[in-house]
Amino acid sequence: MDRDELLVSLGKAIKTRRNELSLTQEKLAEMSDLHKNYIGMVERGERNITISNLVKLTVALNTTTDSLLAAFLNNK
Amino acid sequence: MDRDELLVSLGKAIKTRRNELSLTQEKLAEMSDLHKNYIGMVERGERNITISNLVKLTVALNTTTDSLLAAFLNNK
């Protein structure tokens, strides 16, 4: 499993979903109780997010972890 | 969201799935390229696992992240 590929794919899926909901990084940060800069790093695949922070994001984005990982897992 | 509750619930689900497959922690560690002691800590909810390590476990356990989180998320 390529860790960097996973993180970049996950970050893109988070950004896509955030844009679908017309949320800014600032707004998503507020909704998920995370820092705006942290969300930027996650969206660029620069942070290996913990499951507790990822669940906060999925709740705020009204999606699921598997949905956000689908593009990566379906490419395996 | 209660972080500790999430981690304990996730850890139990991982242990349950490992037992369903009759795998020891040692065998799962070998299959997922993680350390046996780390798997023990995750199963007890003592570690906030990163998404890259969680995906390694889901692949080895032939399951998905959402399945492992279901008990926690359905209790919200």
Side-chain angles (χ1 to χ4, degrees), chain A residues 33-64:
Chain A
D33 199 27
L34 297 170
H35 196 282
K36 172 176 74 73
N37 295 352
Y38 178 77
I39 290 182
M41 288 188 286
V42 169
E43 288 190 351
R44 293 190 297 275
E46 294 168 6
R47 290 296 287 269
N48 197 353
I49 190 170
T50 56
I51 190 61
S52 67
N53 282 343
L54 184 54
V55 168
K56 287 182 181 178
L57 283 182
T58 61
V59 170
L61 292 171
N62 194 25
T63 186
T64 69

Side-chain angles (χ1 to χ4, degrees), chain A residues 15-25 27:
Chain A
K15 183 174 184 176
T16 298
R17 179 64 185 152
R18 177 173 62 75
N19 287 331
E20 277 174 7
L21 299 177
S22 303
L23 297 172
T24 61
Q25 287 185 345
K27 183 65 184 168

